[in-house]
Amino acid sequence: MALTTAGTAACAKCKFFDSEQSADLGLCRYNPPISQPSGDTAGVWPKVEANDWCGHFEAVAA
C-alpha cells in the first residue's frame, strides 16, 4: 500500500472537491450540506482551499 501524504491527498485531487470560480477555492462535497440556523436558508458545503486535505480523500478517477 502506498503512503498517502498531504501533498498527494490535496483537496484539488479529490473526487469530492467541487471547484468554484478559481482553482484555489472550492467546496468539499464529502458530507451533506450543513444546515443553517435560520430555517429559511439553504444548507452549505464547507469551503476548502485546493491544497487542504483530510482523512476522507479519494482520488479522482482517471
Side-chain angles (χ1 to χ4, degrees), residues 9-35:
C11 289
K13 299 174 185 175
C14 181
K15 75 176 193 175
F16 301 112
F17 182 73
D18 184 8
S19 62
E20 289 185 323
Q21 293 140 12
S22 74
D24 297 329
L25 185 65
L27 302 173
C28 177
R29 301 231 185 211
Y30 178 79
N31 290 307
I34 300 167
S35 62

Side-chain angles (χ1 to χ4, degrees), residues 16 30 42 47 52 54-56:
F16 301 112
Y30 178 79
K47 288 187 178 183
D52 286 345
C54 76
H56 299 297

